[in-house]
Every structure is written in C-alpha cells, then in structure tokens.
Amino acid sequence: MKIVVLEANALGKDIDLTVFEKLGELVLYDQSNAEDTPAKVKDADIIIVNKVPMNEQTLKDALNLKMIAITATGYNIIDKAYTDSRGITVANVGGYSTDSVAQHTFALALYLIDQMDYYDKYVKTGEYIKSDIFCHMGNKIFELAGKTWGIIGMGAIGRKVAEIARVFGCRVIYYSTTGKNHNQDYEAVDLDTLLARSDILSIHAPLNPTTENLMNMENFKKMKSSAILINVARGPIVNEADLVMALKEGIIAGAGLDVISVEPMKEGNPLLEIQDSGKLVVTPHIAWATGEARQRLTDEVYLNIEAFLRGEKRNLIP
C-alpha cells in the first residue's frame, strides 16, 4: 500500500508523519499543486491531501488509487462525481480544531477590546517613562461583562464561543445561516437584529451562496459604531473592500480576521491599507493550528486510513 502525502507543510514541521509508515510505504511531499500532482500520485493507493484539487485532471493517471484522506473538515477540493465514478473512498476530519479556533476568536477580540497594540507601544516607545501617574488612559477599553456577543453560525465552534462568552458575562445571541442549527441555551435572532444588537460579532459559518459576501457595506451600516467584527470562518464571507471603508469611516470600531478572500494574501489586498492594529488585526489562517489541534488532526487521519484498510467506514464524506 503506497501512501502519498501531498502537503506535509500544511501539518507543520513539528508533526511526525512517519506514523503512517505503519500502514504502508510512505512518500512525503512538502508542497504540491494541480500541475505536479498527477506525476506524484501515479502509483498511489492512498492520498493524504489538504488543498490540492482532487479531480480528473489530477487523478486520471492514479489507476491504483483507492482512498483520499483529507487533512481538513471541508471537502470542496473533491470532485465527488468523479471520485464516485472511480469508486474512490474519501474521508475528512471534523471537530479537531474547535478549542483552537474558539481560543483564537477571543485572542483577536481581546486584543482589540483592550487595545493591546496601543498600550504595548506606549510602554515600549518610552512614553510610559515620561508619565507622572502610574497608569495611562489613552485609547478607551471596555468590559465584556454585560455586552452582547453575536454569533453567525451555531455549529461546534459557534457553540464553544458562546459558552466562553457567557463565562465572560456576555449576553449571547445567534443567527443560523442555514436555519438548521438551533440551541435553546441562547437566543436565536434574524440577521438584522443580530447586527443591530451585537457589541462583538463573530463568524463561524461555512462558505456557501448564502454566506458569501454576507458582511458587506449594507450590513456594516446596520451595526453599532462601537462594534467589533471577528471572522475565523472563511474569508469571502466578508467583503474586504467594504470592511476597510467601514473601518476608515468609523462605521464599526474594529475587526479581527484570521481568514481572507485569497490565501496567501495577494499584493493589493485592501486590508493592507489599514496598518493600525488597534483597528484591524489580521492573522494568517492560524486559528486552527495549535500543536494540539494539528496532532489531533493527524491522529484522526491515521484512524480514517486504518479503518479503511480494515474495510470499515469512518468519517466518509456524503
């Protein structure tokens, strides 16, 4: 059994992938793309993949291919009609990053709420040395207690964020983009109500025709001018040009993003126009990537393949 890992770098250099040698011959590639993949997978029985499209173009010469193991929850890279026509099993991994993404949600929010960039620079530039009192109250900060935390997408991560927000003393409201996720512990509202009432608004929904470009200028104008937006879901849910304008014009107070429309970021992205990290903080899609989460992901991929080799169905995509 030949197992080909196409994007080892996507799991991190600190994750030991040699564990897959227990299941068969292992071939590791740090990075791959649609052009070089066909040659790399020609003799593969199993492919471990993250972003490379799995379709006829990349797989037509992989005549031995029996399984594709995705190192992610989303499976939009899969041409399901094609893999089904070939009888290729496809498995993904869910739930591995819930704690990690929830934690990063609050890291982004608290960085903005407590104006950490401003106060850190105040001290490190030497301004604090000149102060005649023990503290400096420059940029305004506020408590989460008593504020309203709005959530778009009440799946596993949304529920975890709601749980933490409640511990901080927040009122939690949510909007289900599908109408399928209901939670009696929190108040469900329509989108306009969510936008109008939220002091902090975090996005944990999948990208689909309903959510793409959901956060645009029309909806930013429905938010409080003091509101903070957090997106740790998918970049295209937020219209980046509109967000930049909303921040520049004070329509909303701040935003924290871990995902953007095109990753990695391209030159000319409008987000680069805002260099004030007290207003906008952007991280490079790392919310999911704690060491613990990446290890859980690797362990689950291993179990998916092990189950497949035993003839069992585990985490197969529909």
Side-chain angles (χ1 to χ4, degrees), residues 5-296:
V5 179
L6 287 175
E7 300 148 289
N9 284 349
L11 292 168
K13 295 291 188 182
D14 55 330
I15 300 298
D16 182 11
L17 300 180
T18 59
V19 63
F20 292 101
E21 292 177 351
K22 298 178 183 179
L23 303 176
E25 176 190 356
L26 180 65
V27 179
L28 296 174
Y29 294 102
D30 286 341
Q31 196 63 31
S32 302
N33 55 49
E35 287 68 39
D36 62 24
T37 289
K40 291 178 178 179
V41 303
K42 187 175 182 179
D43 299 322
D45 295 287
I46 295 172
I47 297 172
I48 298 176
V49 62
N50 184 268
K51 297 292 187 188
V52 178
M54 296 283 97
N55 52 33
E56 184 174 7
Q57 175 192 341
T58 53
L59 303 177
K60 60 181 171 43
D61 296 326
L63 302 182
N64 298 330
L65 186 60
K66 303 171 182 65
M67 181 192 188
I68 298 171
I70 308 172
T71 59
T73 303
Y75 48 87
N76 57 307
I77 63 167
I78 303 293
D79 182 338
K80 189 65 163 50
Y82 178 74
T83 57
D84 283 351
S85 73
R86 291 270 309 273
I88 299 168
T89 296
V90 183
N92 67 342
V93 179
Y96 66 92
S97 65
T98 299
D99 289 338
S100 182
V101 176
Q103 175 177 301
H104 198 75
T105 300
F106 282 87
L108 291 171
L110 292 170
Y111 190 86
L112 292 163
I113 290 167
D114 281 351
Q115 288 291 291
M116 300 298 284
D117 181 69
Y118 171 82
Y119 286 108
D120 181 59
K121 287 178 178 175
Y122 174 80
V123 173
K124 290 179 179 176
T125 57
E127 289 301 308
Y128 189 33
I129 295 171
K130 304 172 187 176
S131 177
D132 58 357
I133 61 171
F134 70 94
C135 76
H136 168 73
M137 290 166 281
N139 286 9
K140 187 176 181 180
I141 62 177
F142 63 87
E143 294 180 353
L144 276 175
K147 300 299 187 295
T148 298
W149 190 297
I151 293 174
I152 296 178
M154 192 55 93
I157 295 172
R159 291 193 301 271
K160 187 68 177 182
V161 168
E163 176 186 331
I164 298 169
R166 180 171 279 181
V167 172
F168 269 102
C170 294
R171 295 180 294 269
V172 176
I173 59 177
Y174 74 94
Y175 166 68
S176 173
T177 60
T178 64
K180 296 178 181 178
N181 287 327
H182 301 288
N183 193 306
Q184 295 183 350
D185 293 331
Y186 309 104
E187 182 185 357
V189 296
D190 59 31
L191 180 60
D192 283 353
T193 301
L194 186 89
L195 296 170
R197 288 176 53 187
S198 296
D199 296 294
I200 304 93
L201 176 59
S202 61
I203 304 173
H204 311 284
L207 177 64
N208 55 43
T210 301
T211 61
E212 185 171 6
N213 201 44
L214 178 67
M215 296 308 301
N216 53 28
M217 184 58 75
E218 179 184 357
N219 282 332
F220 290 135
K221 288 180 177 179
K222 297 175 183 178
M223 298 175 67
K224 297 179 180 181
S225 61
S226 58
I228 289 173
L229 174 73
I230 305 295
N231 185 15
V232 292
R234 288 293 181 265
I237 294 175
V238 175
N239 183 305
E240 292 165 352
D242 285 2
L243 173 61
V244 168
M245 187 64 66
L247 291 171
K248 286 182 175 180
E249 295 184 0
I251 294 170
I252 65 172
L257 311 176
D258 184 57
V259 289
I260 59 176
S261 57
V262 178
E263 300 171 346
M265 180 181 277
K266 303 299 182 184
E267 289 187 16
N269 187 301
L271 297 173
L272 294 174
E273 296 175 21
I274 298 182
Q275 294 293 309
D276 179 1
S277 295
K279 189 176 291 289
L280 173 68
V281 56
V282 184
T283 52
H285 205 143
I286 61 165
W288 70 278
T290 57
E292 294 87 346
R294 287 182 289 114
Q295 188 60 61
R296 279 193 296 271

